[in-house]
Amino acid sequence: MATTSVMHTVLVPLKQDQRELFSQDVTRGLSAKNKYLESKYFYDAEGDRLFQEIMRCHEYYLTNCEMEILREQSAVISQTILSHTKHFDVVELGAGDATKSIHLLKELLKTGRDFTYYPVDISGNVITQLEQSLPRQLPALKVHGLHGEYFDMLQQAGILSRKTKVVLCMGGNIGNFTPPEARKFCRLLRNYLQPGDIVIIGFDLKKHPQIILDAYNDAAGFTRDFNLNLLKRINRELSGNFDISKFDHYATYDPGTGACKSYLVSLEEQDVKVSGKTFHFGLHEPVYMEISQKYDLESIEQMAVQSGFETVADFFDSRRWFADCMWLCV
């Protein structure tokens, strides 16, 4: 569950091509032997609202942990960046509302360095809001929003400026990938960067299993509603007829592998129609919804090396539940 998606509100109906892709992805997932739905579709307007509720839950520690790191250690992070490069721009992948990264931007401005902040997001609404709000909060900051897919926009940032890139991947978004997918992402990220570029990437760390499980199964039921809301979205946008009362949310965490997974479970044998197609669900059949992968420092270091990076520093919250890791492109 990404912590930077809070602003991804869908303000207008999906365009026809987007709706068709949504339909194709749902059909593919529900036709699979082991049914699944893609978590990127969680974030409609109601999904955004529910995710904000999740982040306010005391069980959901991730946001506060990383906020503590950026609020209290941005000066040290800034100094560490400047020890490797004096001429740089900052690119944030999945910028969201920038409430955490703004602390680092403030510290970098204090150094007097001339840099541009390039927030990247697939939501044009997010970029518009950042380009309006950040100059009011940080008048000296140069902001150039990039609306599009991560790597396309990272390439665009390289065309706009030849300076060293400091790339921010905050919020533990790497946890939305399985470990093989995460390694593939990091290798691809390295391919878009140059030697000497810097990446700061957030990892949620392994800890007591109950702490992790509670974060994805909060007592108030917001995570349950967040998952079930995707069925409501399918009903609304793809002419589905899911009966929400016939599905339940189930979260599981394996402390050995670090995989925290969420499922929706069919409470009875039933048929559901979506986009004119019928899908059969058996009693207690699970639908895989998302993964939130947790890491230890050894596996993070291995990922860095395997992807073409060298670890510069690791920054932890006071409980060492979360790490923002600074990697150098080699």
Side-chain angles (χ1 to χ4, degrees):
M1 191 185 299
T3 64
T4 55
S5 298
V6 63
M7 294 180 66
H8 290 185
T9 302
V10 177
L11 298 179
V12 295
L14 285 176
K15 295 178 181 178
Q16 186 58 40
D17 56 343
Q18 295 173 315
R19 190 184 303 276
E20 181 61 28
L21 181 60
F22 184 23
S23 178
Q24 290 173 1
D25 287 342
V26 170
T27 297
R28 185 182 305 110
L30 296 184
S31 299
K33 180 180 179 181
N34 297 313
K35 291 184 175 65
Y36 67 90
L37 291 171
E38 295 192 26
S39 59
K40 66 182 179 181
Y41 293 113
F42 280 146
Y43 298 98
D44 63 353
E46 178 64 5
D48 281 348
R49 186 194 69 80
L50 287 166
F51 189 65
Q52 292 180 54
E53 295 285 0
I54 291 169
M55 289 197 296
R56 284 193 283 267
C57 291
H58 73 274
E59 297 102 328
Y60 194 77
Y61 57 83
L62 288 84
T63 305
N64 288 338
C65 285
E66 192 173 37
M67 181 64 81
E68 178 192 322
I69 294 171
L70 272 297
R71 187 179 61 244
E72 299 186 7
Q73 299 182 59
S74 279
V76 178
I77 296 172
S78 174
Q79 293 167 10
T80 307
I81 292 171
L82 290 177
S83 70
H84 287 85
T85 179
K86 307 300 183 186
H87 305 285
F88 60 88
D89 288 316
V90 178
V91 182
E92 183 167 11
L93 304 182
D97 56 10
T99 53
K100 288 178 288 190
S101 52
I102 194 172
H103 295 287
L104 178 58
L105 296 173
K106 285 180 181 178
E107 290 298 331
L108 291 172
L109 285 174
K110 289 180 183 178
T111 69
R113 297 294 167 181
D114 180 22
F115 70 94
T116 299
Y117 172 58
Y118 293 97
V120 176
D121 210 285
I122 59 172
S123 170
N125 178 50
V126 165
I127 296 301
T128 298
Q129 291 193 35
L130 286 175
E131 289 182 328
Q132 293 174 350
S133 64
L134 283 176
R136 291 196 296 267
Q137 299 175 74
L138 301 174
L141 182 66
K142 297 178 182 178
V143 182
H144 186 135
L146 297 173
H147 173 210
E149 298 290 339
Y150 284 0
F151 295 120
D152 291 342
M153 296 302 100
L154 187 55
Q155 188 174 38
Q156 182 65 23
I159 294 172
L160 292 169
S161 168
R162 296 299 181 184
K163 291 182 180 179
T164 296
K165 298 295 182 290
V166 177
V167 180
L168 309 181
C169 301
M170 317 301 288
N173 289 328
I174 195 74
N176 295 144
F177 299 120
T178 64
E181 291 170 342
R183 286 192 292 272
K184 181 179 179 181
F185 173 85
C186 290
R187 285 195 294 268
L188 189 57
L189 176 61
R190 175 62 186 86
N191 288 341
Y192 278 86
L193 299 174
Q194 302 297 320
D197 286 346
I198 293 170
V199 173
I200 302 177
I201 186 167
F203 289 91
D204 191 19
L205 301 178
K206 291 181 178 180
K207 55 190 71 67
H208 193 290
Q210 195 62 54
I211 294 171
I212 293 173
L213 192 57
D214 287 349
Y216 298 89
N217 194 30
D218 59 281
F222 291 119
T223 307
R224 177 200 64 222
D225 293 345
F226 180 68
N227 280 259
L228 289 170
N229 181 65
L230 181 47
L231 303 188
K232 294 181 180 179
R233 181 178 183 183
I234 292 171
N235 285 351
R236 183 178 66 253
E237 299 182 16
L238 301 180
S239 301
N241 67 343
F242 278 101
D243 183 339
I244 308 304
S245 68
K246 294 181 180 179
F247 289 85
D248 198 9
H249 168 254
Y250 176 73
T252 178
Y253 176 62
D254 180 352
T257 65
C260 186
K261 298 181 179 180
S262 295
Y263 297 85
L264 290 179
V265 180
S266 176
L267 298 178
E268 61 181 62
E269 191 157 336
Q270 57 183 308
D271 290 324
V272 175
K273 287 188 177 181
V274 178
S275 298
K277 301 178 179 66
T278 300
F279 302 94
H280 180 75
F281 293 79
L283 173 64
H284 300 155
E285 182 177 1
V287 181
Y288 171 58
M289 303 297 284
E290 70 168 339
I291 186 172
S292 297
Q293 182 68 35
K294 312 306 173 188
Y295 288 90
D296 55 36
L297 291 178
E298 181 180 358
S299 58
I300 294 172
E301 175 63 21
Q302 288 175 349
M303 185 181 297
V305 172
Q306 292 168 356
S307 304
F309 296 96
E310 174 186 302
T311 300
V312 172
D314 297 321
F315 302 94
F316 305 95
D317 65 289
S318 57
R319 294 178 291 190
R320 295 180 71 90
W321 284 6
F322 195 95
D324 279 320
C325 302
M326 185 182 295
W327 295 350
L328 181 69
C329 294
V330 295

